[in-house]
Amino acid sequence: DSGVTQTPKHLITATGQRVTLRCSPRSGDLSVYWYQQSLDQGLQFLIQYYNGEERAKGNILERFSAQQFPDLHSELNLSSLELGDSALYFCASSVEELDNEQFFGPGTRLTVL
Amino acid sequence: AQSVTQPDIHITVSEGASLELRCNYSYGATPYLFWYVQSPGQGLQLLLKYFSGDTLVQGIKGFEAEFKRSQSSFNLRKPSVHWSDAAEYFCAVGGSRTNAGKSTFGDGTTLTVKP
């Protein structure tokens, strides 16, 4: 158990819908990272937040957005969902902004029908 | 741009045999290198990391990896594999101090352990 929690564990929805994935980092960690893992794209970095502010951006679609709240939990919002958005979404956390040692949550499996 | 190549998509070894998983990276400066393991339905767990110093790095679960700058490699090894080691293994290169979040992962190597 990494100490990073993600909810929900599974999510099934329809195309065109909007969903919110939630992540609580390890106690004391200020940085949160979001990743997408799919069969065709592998593990892709989406975005990083540190202490409430966006710090790095990867291959995140404009239909996706994220934020980190004052209590340091983070939410990833996915809108206008397409079949291709079906994937495992991982959250990771680390102590510092530039700390490369990340601890991963168990993931949220999103299925878009 | 940084990149990671794991040449072997799938490896099968017998229980008790030695293991080496290959990882090659491309990065302009001294990289931060990682190996993660992912069991089915689970998140990624960090096995070991290299930031600087001794090029032979010891990790958890009896794994080690060696950083070879001349070969741009960071291969993962274990002298005797256990059935519980069956999983998917990811090599990753971390960003610089200005883009630490932009870690790049390889496509993974699936390890099957034969009894």
Side-chain angles (χ1 to χ4, degrees), chain A residues 32-92:
Chain A
V32 169
Y33 311 78
W34 286 98
Y35 293 86
Q36 179 193 60
Q37 186 180 38
S38 62
L39 284 175
D40 55 342
Q41 296 287 327
L43 193 61
Q44 301 277 323
F45 167 72
L46 295 178
I47 197 164
Q48 177 202 3
Y49 278 82
Y50 174 76
N51 206 19
E53 296 191 6
E54 182 184 307
R55 277 293 184 260
K57 219 166 186 176
N59 300 319
I60 187 166
L61 300 172
E62 284 192 12
R63 300 184 285 109
F64 296 0
S65 65
Q67 59 184 129
Q68 187 179 26
F69 295 86
D71 67 352
L72 301 177
H73 91 272
S74 177
E75 293 181 354
L76 179 67
N77 299 296
L78 315 176
S79 61
S80 303
L81 285 168
E82 302 175 0
L83 296 177
D85 297 327
S86 296
L88 258 174
Y89 291 84
F90 287 107
C91 167

Side-chain angles (χ1 to χ4, degrees), chain B residues 2-74:
Chain B
Q2 61 197 46
S3 66
V4 177
T5 302
Q6 293 181 244
D8 305 304
I9 297 173
H10 196 172
I11 281 185
T12 300
V13 300
S14 298
E15 190 168 15
S18 63
L19 171 71
E20 182 168 30
L21 302 182
R22 296 184 292 163
C23 172
N24 294 100
Y25 68 90
S26 172
Y27 190 71
T30 300
Y32 297 162
L33 294 162
F34 306 84
W35 275 100
Y36 289 88
V37 60
Q38 183 180 27
S39 298
Q42 303 293 315
L44 279 73
Q45 181 184 22
L46 180 68
L47 284 175
L48 48 78
K49 61 183 186 282
Y50 172 78
F51 285 175
S52 64
D54 193 346
T55 56
L56 186 62
V57 180
Q58 302 297 321
I60 62 171
K61 304 186 180 188
F63 286 92
E64 67 177 27
E66 186 170 12
F67 170 61
K68 292 185 176 179
R69 183 188 301 275
S70 61
Q71 298 177 18
S72 297
S73 69
F74 188 58

Side-chain angles (χ1 to χ4, degrees), chain A residues 2 9 33 35 37 41-45 48 55-58 88 90 97-107 109, chain B residues 32 34 36 38 41-46 49 51 88 90 93-107:
Chain A
S2 67
K9 191 165 185 169
Y33 311 78
Y35 293 86
Q37 186 180 38
Q41 296 287 327
L43 193 61
Q44 301 277 323
F45 167 72
Q48 177 202 3
R55 277 293 184 260
K57 219 166 186 176
L88 258 174
F90 287 107
E97 175 184 359
L98 299 179
D99 186 346
N100 275 267
E101 183 167 358
Q102 299 174 23
F103 295 85
F104 282 75
R109 181 170 292 283
Chain B
Y32 297 162
F34 306 84
Y36 289 88
Q38 183 180 27
Q42 303 293 315
L44 279 73
Q45 181 184 22
L46 180 68
K49 61 183 186 282
F51 285 175
E88 189 159 18
F90 292 92
V93 57
S96 68
R97 293 193 63 76
T98 57
N99 68 338
K102 289 187 178 180
S103 297
T104 300
F105 286 77
D107 290 334

Side-chain angles (χ1 to χ4, degrees), chain A residues 11-21 63-64 77-86 89 110-113:
Chain A
L11 198 49
I12 301 174
T13 188
T15 55
Q17 295 298 305
R18 173 189 170 95
V19 297
T20 297
L21 312 183
R63 300 184 285 109
F64 296 0
N77 299 296
L78 315 176
S79 61
S80 303
L81 285 168
E82 302 175 0
L83 296 177
D85 297 327
S86 296
Y89 291 84
L110 173 66
T111 302
V112 182
L113 301 175

